[in-house]
Amino acid sequence: MVMILLPPSEGKTVPQTKATLDLSKLSFTELTELRSKTIGSLVKVSEGRVSAARKILGLTENQDDEIARNHDLHNKPVAPAMHVYTGVLFDAIGIDTLSKTAVKRFARDTYVVSALFGLISVTDQIPAYRLSGSATLPKIGTLASLWNSAVSELLHKADDFMIDLRSGVYQKLGQIPDDAAPRAVVPRILQKMPSGPPKLVSHHNKATKGRIVRAIAESGKSLKSVEALAEVVAALGADVEVISPSNSAKPFGLDVVVPVL
């Protein structure tokens, strides 16, 4: 089996349902206590002084509606995380245009490391919220210090080939443990330049990662190695290079070079 790790998105679609948040029904119930603690702190911040909330959440006056989104989170409508998260990466996956079989594979294999919920499945029912992985909450501290140990332990228990497509901020919320590194890969997206070596360019990063996730769901292949993943990515038209780690405590790398615009 494969375990795809994604970051959340800042943009979210507000669910239009009657169902509300039930922490006991989320995947990885070991995280329930931490989830409850984080939600409590976020709600308190968001329902307090707006100026303080802006500073803590890293928002501007024009984003006060994002703060209001965090009010009374336990009673806000919920939907599957894969339909709540929006943005470049999730748009590139194109969940609504996948075949039924591909959607089942995507739902089975894909997880998000969230600042609010820790490790969740994309099928877990969550509300729209605003909380960055780089935030520091009162009486909690940094979210990396809150989540890292608990999420890493869950990754340690998972007996899957892991494809880590998270940004650096969200990798800190659950680092791949040393003993799991030999069965993990961290792809790196680069852009082919008109001259000189490829460069890291953020424009391509999220969209390319989304296309990779879509290709995995559509391929139907049993991905158990970085070489198998490289074949799927190369079929998208990208140049790929497997990067072997310098020691067994580090995951594999996979450089994915996409054409210049």
Side-chain angles (χ1 to χ4, degrees):
M1 297 289 288
V2 64
M3 185 178 200
I4 303 169
L5 299 174
L6 298 182
S9 61
E10 288 189 357
K12 299 175 183 69
T13 298
V14 178
Q16 303 297 315
T17 66
K18 293 183 179 180
T20 55
L21 182 62
D22 185 344
L23 293 180
S24 69
K25 292 184 178 180
L26 298 183
S27 302
F28 310 110
T29 54
E30 303 96 320
L31 301 179
T32 299
E33 185 176 345
L34 290 179
R35 288 165 175 161
S36 180
K37 181 178 179 181
T38 309
I39 291 171
S41 180
L42 179 60
V43 169
K44 186 173 182 179
V45 164
S46 301
E47 293 181 349
R49 290 174 54 234
V50 174
S51 59
R54 288 180 196 140
K55 184 175 181 180
I56 291 170
L57 300 179
L59 302 175
T60 66
E61 290 184 24
N62 294 331
Q63 295 173 299
D64 284 351
D65 58 331
E66 297 283 335
I67 298 173
R69 181 174 288 182
N70 293 333
H71 293 187
D72 196 23
L73 278 174
H74 284 287
N75 293 309
K76 291 291 176 65
V78 296
M82 61 184 175
H83 297 307
V84 173
Y85 292 123
T86 59
V88 176
L89 191 155
F90 286 87
D91 286 348
I93 296 171
I95 297 164
D96 292 338
T97 61
L98 288 171
S99 68
K100 290 183 179 180
T101 301
V103 169
K104 286 182 180 179
R105 294 192 194 107
F106 171 76
R108 178 195 65 197
D109 298 336
T110 313
Y111 299 82
V112 173
V113 176
S114 157
L116 188 59
F117 297 108
L119 183 65
I120 58 172
S121 165
V122 292
T123 62
D124 282 333
Q125 302 270 335
I126 64 169
Y129 64 92
R130 183 58 183 261
L131 180 65
S132 168
S134 60
T136 299
L137 291 175
K139 298 184 179 180
I140 286 183
T142 67
L143 294 170
S145 65
L146 175 76
W147 289 116
N148 183 46
S149 177
V151 172
S152 291
E153 178 61 23
L154 291 172
L155 298 180
H156 163 77
K157 292 178 180 178
D159 188 22
D160 301 305
F161 173 58
M162 288 185 284
I163 303 172
D164 190 353
L165 295 171
R166 295 173 292 168
S167 58
V169 168
Y170 289 95
Q171 287 176 348
K172 292 178 181 179
L173 270 60
Q175 295 177 332
I176 294 175
D178 292 353
D179 60 352
R183 53 182 173 83
V185 58
V186 181
R188 186 174 66 151
I189 313 302
L190 302 103
Q191 182 180 358
K192 189 179 297 182
M193 307 305 293
S195 62
K199 293 184 179 180
L200 291 169
V201 181
S202 59
H203 174 80
H204 287 287
N205 185 43
K206 294 179 181 179
T208 301
K209 287 179 177 179
R211 288 194 287 269
I212 290 172
V213 175
R214 183 182 180 91
I216 293 170
E218 291 180 324
S219 73
K221 294 182 179 180
S222 177
L223 298 183
K224 297 181 180 180
S225 68
V226 63
E227 291 79 14
L229 174 63
E231 289 183 9
V232 172
V233 177
L236 293 173
D239 296 333
V240 297
E241 180 183 0
V242 174
I243 310 297
S244 297
S246 57
N247 64 69
S248 61
K250 299 292 183 181
F252 285 90
L254 184 69
D255 278 0
V256 179
V257 184
V258 296
V260 64
L261 287 178

